[in-house]
């Protein structure tokens, strides 16, 4: 995972990094202090370790439902979906996502018009606290497979 402050008014392709200049990277500890976001690295190859980490997060966050969501150019109405994902939103429950394959960005807004970009890759688990403004996009590869975790079944999910 990499984390940095975004330029205030990013122009052009939102799938690009959009660092402030000069780049201002931050640590997972700083991200937690600034925005309350939690991060875990999950070894997807080590089944016992993975189950232990996921079990702890599921218990702590009262997770009762999961699904696997794939974002790729093969999606119906891909461009429209990407527009929707990039709209800033807040949720009534924590947003919990594990990247199973590919790479993506979650942007979080701890202060008005001050965005922090979090680049996630395979094995990165992020918990965005309820009420925190955030948005999502892919990298230029346009592919990510995410396991999502919910405390209740969410309309539109499968399973």
């Amino acid at each position: 995972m990499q984390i940095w402050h975004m330029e205030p008014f990013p122009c052009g392709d939102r799938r690009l990094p959009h660092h402030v200049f000069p780049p201002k990277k931050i640590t997972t500890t700083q991200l937690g202090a600034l925005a309350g976001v939690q991060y875990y690295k999950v070894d997807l190859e080590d089944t016992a370790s993975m189950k232990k980490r996921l079990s702890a997060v599921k218990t702590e966050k009262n997770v009762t439902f999961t699904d696997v969501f794939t974002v790729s150019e093969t999606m119906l109405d891909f461009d429209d979906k990407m527009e929707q994902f990039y709209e800033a939103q807040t949720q009534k429950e924590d947003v919990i996502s594990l990247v199973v394959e590919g790479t993506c960005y979650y942007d979080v807004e701890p202060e008005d018009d001050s965005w922090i970009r979090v680049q996630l890759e395979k094995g990165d688990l992020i918990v965005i606290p309820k009420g925190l403004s955030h948005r999502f996009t892919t990298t230029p590869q346009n592919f990510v497979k995410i396991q999502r975790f919910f405390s209740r079944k969410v309309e539109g999910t499968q399973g």
Side-chain angles (χ1 to χ4, degrees), residues 49 58 68 83 124:
S49 173
K58 286 178 176 181
V68 176
E83 287 293 325
D124 289 337

Side-chain angles (χ1 to χ4, degrees), residues 63-74:
V63 170
T64 58
F65 180 78
T66 71
D67 72 0
V68 176
F69 185 66
T70 302
V71 178
S72 74
E73 290 177 307
T74 61

